[in-house]
Amino acid sequence: MVDNIGIVDTRNIISAIAEKFGIDMSDYASTILRRRLVHTINAYTCHSADDFIDKVKRGAIDVDDFLYEMAVETTEIFRDPSLWRELRDRYLPEVCRTPDCQIWMPGITTGDELYTLEIVLAESGLQNKAKVVAGCPSNKHIENIKDGGLYDPKKIEVSEANYTRYVGKSQFNSYYTMVDNHAKMKNELLANATIYQKDILKTEANKQYRMIIYRNTLLQFNIPLYEKVIRKLTESLAIGGYLIIGNMETLEYSETGKKMQVVNENEKIYKKRID
Amino acid sequence: MSDYKAIMIGGSAGSFQVVSHIIAALPANYPLPILMCLHRLKHIRSGFVEALSIKSKLPIIEPHDKEPLKPGRIYLAPANYHMYIELGNRFALSTEDVINHSRPSIDLSFFSASYNFKKKLVGIILSGANKDGAMGLKSVTDNGGLTIVQDPKECQVPTMTQASLNATKVDYVFSTKQIIDFLLKLA
């Protein structure tokens, strides 16, 4: 069991990953990166950073599995109920009135945010008014999401409490079935969703989205990468469209982000006014 | 002026009053940043800063992700995020899984602060009903920082302080008043 890794180990792993998989992790926020690397080293039962590097170099680690282990897995369904109420009452009806409305969620892992959005759209009668396009770091994430996720009882309890605070129209337990003491979300909720696997920086950006929900994912980047990702997000957003980030994230430290107008400071909803 | 760069305080059940006393005693020109990781309800985002600010002469801030850390301020880990200090003295927040049933986790805040500040960090553990913080305080010791534990005899709930004393050799076991005197002398 590896408890921690130092700067040198981290650098060596980053360069082995870049060489073998062509994935550049050098601009990831250092604390989260080190913690995810420690998790991943242990997930492959390696006894040291060097042991892990050796496995990478020998081709004993599958890139999709690696990306799956590295992703920050956790959040909650209906995390921040006040945001989802705001989207339900104001912003989703507005964007869904535009023809061919597409909503982008480029950074999902567990599907919590995707299932939340789909429940909000379904309860508002808007599921056929918008297409949802969701990006995952690995194919394994996509399989899990399409399979309804597998939520342990504790996580469902937290999500259920969030849904109660959101004040939905239904019962939260009508959206999942229990299988082996775990909850599987009903995947018919995803009828209007397309889920793909691609690095956000490699996606096409041509102002195609009316709304982008990208919460708590900028946390994983240091400033240069954060800037690049924000540029991609804003270039992908239609003029008049909305970008939503995590409530303790900000666009303030990004030159590109400064062009966005804050329309709700508490929930971090930004509007694109100009190119 | 001491060589310390920051003070980090961890607390849980029974720590609110102690923290309030400490904050009230610090002058408006207190130079060191104070980083607080206190267990709080995950779903209640507002109200805590306001409650702590009533008696404080220093600004109390819940930092945004990537916000630069500045002296003379008190920072409080926001609800439902872990709070880290990155090299280069910026905050980093994280939604990683709960640790010791907690997000923010005191251990994780202490791990990153001690990694960043090494021997220039003062770590303080107050009253609490959970062992979160014990391994974090050990990391402060291991990185050469200075460690203080609130006297378990004075704590409303001594579990956290006792777990810290069991986990590492601490420099001082202090009453609230002694903690305040010590912090004032650091300035």
Side-chain angles (χ1 to χ4, degrees), chain A residues 56-68:
Chain A
V56 170
K57 287 184 173 168
R58 281 191 288 116
I61 288 175
D62 173 72
V63 63
D64 199 70
D65 273 344
F66 170 76
L67 290 168
Y68 179 79

Side-chain angles (χ1 to χ4, degrees), chain A residues 13-255:
Chain A
I13 295 174
I14 287 173
S15 70
I17 295 300
E19 202 173 300
K20 189 75 188 177
F21 300 142
I23 297 168
D24 180 9
M25 293 191 149
S26 57
D27 277 328
Y28 278 62
S30 69
T31 307
I32 295 181
L33 176 65
R34 272 189 296 117
R35 287 182 47 73
R36 293 317 296 171
L37 285 174
V38 168
H39 162 86
T40 303
I41 290 169
N42 289 321
Y44 286 104
T45 58
C46 295
H47 52 77
S48 69
D50 286 342
D51 184 20
F52 178 73
I53 290 167
D54 185 54
K55 267 204 166 94
V56 170
K57 287 184 173 168
R58 281 191 288 116
I61 288 175
D62 173 72
V63 63
D64 199 70
D65 273 344
F66 170 76
L67 290 168
Y68 179 79
E69 293 298 340
M70 283 298 290
V72 175
E73 280 290 319
T74 181
T75 160
E76 303 154 9
I77 301 175
F78 281 96
R79 181 181 165 117
D80 305 312
S82 53
L83 166 76
W84 296 103
R85 280 200 302 270
E86 191 69 10
L87 293 184
R88 172 191 65 192
D89 296 342
R90 180 164 179 184
Y91 296 99
L92 284 169
E94 182 190 323
V95 300
C96 287
R97 275 197 294 272
T98 55
D100 304 320
C101 170
Q102 290 196 80
I103 300 171
W104 193 27
M105 297 186 124
I108 62 166
T109 56
T110 49
D112 302 1
E113 297 271 288
L114 176 60
Y115 277 109
T116 307
L117 174 67
E118 293 290 12
I119 291 171
V120 175
L121 288 171
E123 290 189 0
S124 306
L126 293 173
Q127 255 197 323
N128 59 354
K129 304 279 185 200
K131 286 207 169 81
V132 178
V133 181
C136 287
S138 78
N139 289 309
K140 197 169 172 182
H141 284 110
I142 299 177
E143 282 166 34
N144 285 355
I145 292 168
K146 287 190 172 165
D147 205 28
L150 268 184
Y151 294 99
D152 64 47
K154 184 75 199 157
K155 187 159 169 177
I156 280 297
E157 195 184 312
V158 173
S159 300
E160 184 131 27
N162 287 343
Y163 181 78
T164 304
R165 290 185 196 102
Y166 163 75
V167 195
K169 283 187 181 164
S170 186
Q171 299 292 319
F172 188 65
N173 62 16
S174 68
Y175 294 116
Y176 63 83
T177 49
M178 292 303 287
V179 180
D180 297 335
N181 200 33
H182 280 66
K184 267 169 107 83
M185 298 302 287
K186 292 187 175 167
N187 61 7
E188 53 261 38
L189 284 165
L190 305 181
N192 64 338
T194 309
I195 315 176
Y196 66 90
Q197 185 272 327
K198 198 181 239 182
D199 184 313
I200 183 169
L201 291 177
K202 292 180 181 152
T203 56
E204 292 263 337
N206 52 10
K207 301 186 217 172
Q208 64 270 55
Y209 299 108
R210 300 300 309 181
M211 180 180 278
I212 301 175
I213 302 175
Y214 194 66
R215 300 202 308 145
N216 298 318
T217 308
L218 293 168
L219 304 177
Q220 293 168 39
F221 311 138
N222 70 9
I223 298 266
L225 184 53
Y226 157 91
E227 182 71 51
K228 279 185 205 164
V229 171
I230 290 172
R231 194 176 312 132
K232 177 67 75 175
L233 293 169
T234 55
E235 286 170 358
S236 304
L237 196 60
I239 291 181
Y242 297 98
L243 168 65
I244 296 114
I245 57 174
N247 69 294
M248 292 309 291
E249 294 180 302
T250 174
L251 299 184
E252 198 179 322
Y253 306 113
S254 151
E255 284 309 311

Side-chain angles (χ1 to χ4, degrees), chain B residues 83-129:
Chain B
M83 181 180 79
Y84 305 144
I85 312 295
E86 296 279 276
L87 298 173
N89 286 352
R90 280 179 189 266
F91 286 96
L93 302 179
S94 153
T95 56
E96 288 163 283
D97 209 354
V98 294
I99 302 280
N100 304 315
H101 313 287
S102 306
R103 186 169 53 216
S105 152
I106 301 169
D107 275 347
L108 295 190
S109 281
F110 273 85
F111 289 156
S112 80
S114 60
Y115 185 84
N116 185 29
F117 293 115
K118 301 284 189 294
K119 64 181 183 181
K120 297 190 172 178
L121 179 71
V122 178
I124 305 176
I125 292 290
L126 305 175
S127 175

Side-chain angles (χ1 to χ4, degrees), chain B residues 5-12 14-26 30 32-40 48 52 58 60 69 73-78 83 85 91 104-111 113-114 117 121-128 132-134 136-137 140 146-150 155 160-161 164 175-176 178-180 182-184 186:
Chain B
K5 289 269 170 68
I7 294 154
M8 182 168 265
I9 300 176
S12 185
S15 69
F16 181 80
Q17 293 242 325
V18 185
V19 166
S20 298
H21 283 305
I22 293 171
I23 286 173
L26 299 173
Y30 195 76
L32 293 170
I34 307 217
L35 315 167
M36 299 195 299
C37 185
L38 306 175
H39 288 163
R40 55 190 294 182
F48 203 172
L52 287 170
L58 292 156
I60 304 183
L69 184 147
R73 293 176 190 200
I74 298 173
Y75 292 97
L76 176 69
M83 181 180 79
I85 312 295
F91 286 96
S105 152
I106 301 169
D107 275 347
L108 295 190
S109 281
F110 273 85
F111 289 156
S114 60
F117 293 115
L121 179 71
V122 178
I124 305 176
I125 292 290
L126 305 175
S127 175
D132 190 28
L137 199 70
V140 180
L146 187 141
T147 52
I148 300 172
V149 162
Q150 186 189 1
C155 291
M160 190 179 279
T161 48
S164 302
S175 67
T176 305
Q178 288 172 311
I179 293 171
I180 291 169
F182 182 86
L183 294 181
L184 290 174
L186 281 185

